[in-house]
Amino acid sequence: MSPAYRAVKGTRDLLPPESEKYAAVESIARQVFGGYGYGEIRTPILESTELFSRSVGETTDIVHKEMYTFLDRKGRSLTLRPENTAGVVRAALERGIDRMPRPLRLWYAGEQFRYERPQKGRYREFRQIGAEMIGVPGSASDAEVLVMLFDFLQRLGFIDLSVTLNCVPGGAGREAFADALRSHVRPRARRLGEDDRRRVEENPLRLFDSKDPETKAVLEGAPTTVEFLDPEAASHYAEVKEFLRESGIPFTESPALVRGLDYYTVTVFEVVSKSLGAQNAILGGGRYDNLFADLGGPPLPAVGFAIGEDRLVEVLPGDPREPRELWYVLPGSPEDFPYAMAVARALRSGHAGAVVETDLSGRGFAKGFTRASAILAGDADYPFRVSEVRVVSVGSQERAEQTVKIKTLSARREEAVPLAALTRRSRT
Ligand code: HAM
């Protein structure tokens, strides 16, 4: 029978063990980012639509055609956040950025929404893990953010990722770059599709976001961003590269990288994984030194990144879950359930961090042992990564004697232990 209701197109349910992998990745992010002084920020999923059109930019794909926007019951235009940087900046301004520590280091993990064509690694509801460092203008802040990002990726087992780096001009340099791009593209504009022709006049930097091969061909030989940097931006960019070389972070420069959001200035970067295809970056980020002022605040420099958590989990080289010990409390029959539950409680109080699961299926000893062995062998359905299974069998005899039998599966060792000893034992 097919179910009456299905998850909305482009959205997914995350169930164990997948959901546990997401939780493990988030917990490693908390440890690594926390180690650099980042505290967590949680902003609302709903924001006013204007926040995104003014920050991400009216002519970007995100704002132009990917946002979930609707009027609420009072006629206000609201949007499900397509990204989290604008919300972080809004929250910092709303709380009074002047009263906050500087630099302000914040990280987040949460759902984002973009109306894109769903495919592998691309969803309409997806998750990002990101970090923003606010209030430091110098290149050391870009470098620290990238070093932290690599610490995180290395903790997850990635060894061969490389950053793609570029520097985009702000202010007058940006205008000059846009003009030069227009001059390059206009004579060839007939080859462009309708959307891209509109971009030439409205915001030619957005041509670099186009997936159309004809547009890519037109952009070949176009002027590059680095030719339009002012001396300050140029030396900032040179310093960032020097920092990265000293920190051993591999990078390649890509003159065509401008990133699909308008708020970037100076450094921009992405990390692409081969297994996801070149269209799909695992993460992206950069500086956004004008965004605070653009949103009505003081001129505060900032830099940050966001990782596509779904994409990251899909290409993880290893299992991010900490291995845990499982105590599998196995009653011989339903009459032993109350005693089994008392045994499980005693074990939990003596073994913090372990999983203590009582088999309440009534399947009995033989089938219970089969299930326990399957879990140890890496049964795909089990939520946790299990390093050892200890089957704690309780039958009528154990109940009468107030003991248990403990079998360590990998050691094939079994011993009888009094109930009273369970709370005290940390290992058998
Ligand atoms: P973004 O490049 O738009 O940047 O998104 C960051 C990452 O989110 C992408 O590299 C990708 O991994 C993931 N992502 C984007 N769209 C989807 C999708 N439809 N399905 C799955 N994953 C997706 C930003 O959002 C900026 N706020 C990053 C930033 C933070 N810049 C400075 N601070």
Side-chain angles (χ1 to χ4, degrees), residues 83 85 114 116 121 123 128 132 259 263-264 281-282 304 308:
E83 61 99 56
T85 307
R114 295 185 194 177
E116 293 196 79
Y123 308 100
Q128 283 185 344
E132 315 288 353
R259 311 256 308 116
Y263 51 61
Y264 290 111
I282 299 185

Side-chain angles (χ1 to χ4, degrees), residues 86-364:
V88 168
V89 172
R90 187 219 22 85
L93 288 174
E94 197 173 334
R95 283 293 177 99
I97 186 79
D98 293 336
R99 291 192 301 273
M100 293 183 171
R102 201 134 336 143
L104 182 60
R105 290 181 169 94
L106 296 169
W107 78 278
Y108 51 82
E111 285 74 18
Q112 319 292 329
F113 301 83
R114 295 185 194 177
Y115 195 87
E116 293 196 79
R117 193 141 45 83
Q119 53 177 253
K120 181 178 156 60
R122 191 185 296 158
Y123 308 100
R124 290 181 175 173
E125 182 197 39
F126 61 98
R127 282 141 278 262
Q128 283 185 344
I129 298 178
E132 315 288 353
M133 155 124 65
I134 296 158
V136 185
S139 51
S141 58
D142 311 38
E144 195 199 77
V145 158
L146 280 159
V147 168
M148 178 174 88
L149 181 57
F150 266 70
D151 273 2
F152 174 62
L153 294 171
Q154 271 164 8
R155 273 283 301 276
L156 293 172
F158 289 100
I159 41 171
D160 59 351
L161 293 177
S162 156
V163 185
T164 311
L165 203 62
N166 194 23
C167 189
V168 294
R174 200 182 191 90
E175 286 306 312
F177 175 59
D179 284 342
L181 257 183
R182 278 193 196 101
S183 309
H184 173 85
V185 176
R186 270 190 194 128
R188 306 162 174 87
R190 245 181 299 144
R191 292 162 61 189
L192 303 180
E194 195 187 322
D195 257 9
D196 286 341
R197 225 173 307 147
R198 181 180 47 81
R199 286 167 154 163
V200 180
E201 300 313 321
E202 285 180 3
N203 188 355
L205 266 74
R206 298 276 61 92
L207 288 169
F208 288 101
D209 307 336
S210 176
K211 294 178 178 100
D212 185 344
E214 196 63 27
T215 306
K216 288 190 196 298
V218 164
L219 286 173
E220 265 169 40
T224 58
T225 54
V226 286
E227 299 163 44
F228 295 85
L229 298 179
D230 58 35
E232 209 186 322
S235 63
H236 182 104
Y237 186 44
E239 285 166 25
V240 171
K241 289 188 280 186
E242 194 45 41
F243 263 122
L244 293 184
R245 278 187 207 104
E246 277 171 26
S247 315
I249 304 226
F251 66 89
T252 51
E253 290 179 71
S254 165
L257 181 70
V258 297
R259 311 256 308 116
L261 303 92
D262 275 350
Y263 51 61
Y264 290 111
T265 49
V266 201
T267 319
V268 288
F269 55 86
E270 278 185 358
V271 171
V272 173
S273 150
K274 286 188 201 87
S275 48
L276 275 173
Q279 292 285 349
N280 289 329
I282 299 185
L283 64 92
R287 294 201 73 80
Y288 47 99
D289 291 341
N290 299 333
L291 185 55
F292 274 87
D294 287 348
L295 293 179
L300 269 180
V303 56
F305 63 80
I307 304 167
E309 190 179 0
D310 308 75
R311 293 181 184 178
L312 185 78
V313 170
E314 272 169 45
V315 298
L316 278 178
D319 191 331
R321 297 170 300 170
E322 279 292 326
R324 295 170 73 176
E325 203 174 63
L326 168 63
W327 295 76
Y328 193 80
V329 181
L330 181 59
S333 78
E335 268 115 74
D336 304 315
F337 282 1
Y339 181 57
M341 285 163 77
V343 165
R345 287 192 76 188
L347 281 166
R348 278 186 203 106
S349 71
H351 300 83
V355 182
V356 181
E357 181 181 320
T358 312
D359 188 336
L360 293 178
S361 70
R363 53 166 67 92

Side-chain angles (χ1 to χ4, degrees), residues 381-421:
D381 285 342
Y382 205 65
F384 311 111
R385 190 171 145 206
V386 169
S387 53
E388 181 60 274
V389 179
R390 300 181 204 284
V391 181
V392 182
S393 358
V394 290
S396 51
Q397 191 190 336
E398 286 77 25
R399 185 157 36 104
E401 292 168 357
Q402 293 287 288
T403 60
V404 298
K405 269 204 208 100
I406 301 178
K407 180 159 184 183
T408 303
L409 284 190
S410 67
R412 294 163 188 276
R413 183 161 26 93
E414 187 169 55
E415 57 181 331
V417 178
L419 172 63

